[in-house]
Amino acid sequence: MLDKKVDEIVYEDGKVIGVRSGDEIAKCSQVICDPSYAPDKVQKVDRVIRAICLLKGPIPNTDDVDSFQLIIPQNQVKRKNDIYIAGVSASHNVCEKNYYLAIVSTIIETDNPQEEILPGLALLGPIVDKFIQIADISEPVHNGSKDQVFISKSYDATSHFETVCDDVKDLYKRVTGNTLVLKQRPTQEEEQKEMAA
């Protein structure tokens, strides 16, 4: 059922038994999904605005680096939430040569969200094109153990993936009952030494 629309999560006696797409049902004993697949099992906790900007040339005052991340602290712009800016270039295969892609995002605090990201947009220099997205940030109401539907949180405004990593660890713990342990893989030299010992 890859690349098919999910029409319904199917339950029997309060537990998930499958996912329906059209007339087909893929049987399963667990579903792991984002909030968009189970809107009746999540609650809205915030809203985020993201501006995806196409730039011709590097971002000013970054020494022409091919990628960067900048966080404008909330107190510098008299806000409750930081403004996040992430930038990448053609070296990341996301745009044509001499173009850059920047994403400016924050948690919405007012009735004029586009104005809230202006301090971030002002740092980018000339913008060729800009795409604005406003989205709800949702989180699961239950941990998923009862019905075996495990739901992640929505992406927030951060650009450093710390909250995403925390959510993955939480999801792993809820699904398996075990703590996800991530450790750096040994180098080839270290592996060879260990095998020789």
Side-chain angles (χ1 to χ4, degrees):
M1 296 209 32
L2 294 175
D3 201 24
K4 289 191 175 185
K5 180 179 172 258
V6 172
D7 294 316
E8 174 187 17
I9 297 175
V10 183
Y11 300 89
E12 188 175 282
D13 299 324
K15 285 199 169 200
V16 70
I17 61 163
V19 177
R20 184 178 66 78
S21 177
D23 295 332
E24 296 178 277
I25 295 180
K27 299 284 185 179
C28 65
S29 58
Q30 292 181 325
V31 168
I32 302 169
C33 62
D34 73 54
S36 68
Y37 290 95
D40 59 325
K41 296 181 177 290
V42 299
Q43 63 185 356
K44 176 181 157 184
V45 293
D46 253 319
R47 291 187 324 142
V48 62
I49 181 169
R50 291 182 189 88
I52 302 171
C53 304
L54 183 64
L55 314 172
K56 179 82 167 124
I59 292 90
N61 305 312
T62 59
D63 291 329
D64 299 348
V65 295
D66 58 4
S67 68
F68 76 97
Q69 178 176 264
L70 176 68
I71 301 172
I72 302 174
Q74 58 196 20
N75 60 354
Q76 286 187 9
V77 283
K78 296 177 178 56
R79 294 178 43 81
K80 295 176 189 166
N81 295 280
D82 297 335
I83 299 173
Y84 298 88
I85 308 168
V88 291
S89 65
S91 68
H92 299 92
N93 296 320
V94 296
C95 51
E96 290 186 32
K97 188 177 181 184
N98 298 321
Y99 282 87
Y100 287 71
L101 194 67
I103 301 171
V104 179
S105 58
T106 193
I107 300 296
I108 295 173
E109 299 176 6
T110 70
D111 292 333
N112 192 356
Q114 291 196 41
E115 193 172 283
E116 296 182 51
I117 57 173
L118 288 177
L121 295 174
L123 298 175
L124 301 180
I127 297 171
V128 175
D129 209 347
K130 175 174 58 178
F131 306 93
I132 301 286
Q133 177 201 37
I134 294 175
D136 289 341
I137 299 174
S138 300
E139 63 184 23
V141 177
H142 303 289
N143 69 8
S145 61
K146 185 176 178 184
D147 61 6
Q148 294 297 294
V149 176
F150 299 95
I151 305 166
S152 69
K153 295 179 181 177
S154 303
Y155 292 123
D156 61 15
T158 60
S159 57
H160 48 62
F161 301 107
E162 180 180 349
T163 55
V164 174
C165 290
D166 290 343
D167 190 33
V168 168
K169 290 176 187 176
D170 174 65
L171 197 55
Y172 185 88
K173 175 83 172 182
R174 287 188 283 133
V175 172
T176 68
N178 300 314
T179 301
L180 178 62
V181 178
L182 299 174
K183 53 186 175 181
Q184 186 170 346
R185 182 179 175 180
T187 64
Q188 187 175 10
E189 185 179 287
E190 290 168 339
E191 284 179 343
Q192 288 173 347
K193 283 181 183 177
E194 191 175 305
M195 290 185 342

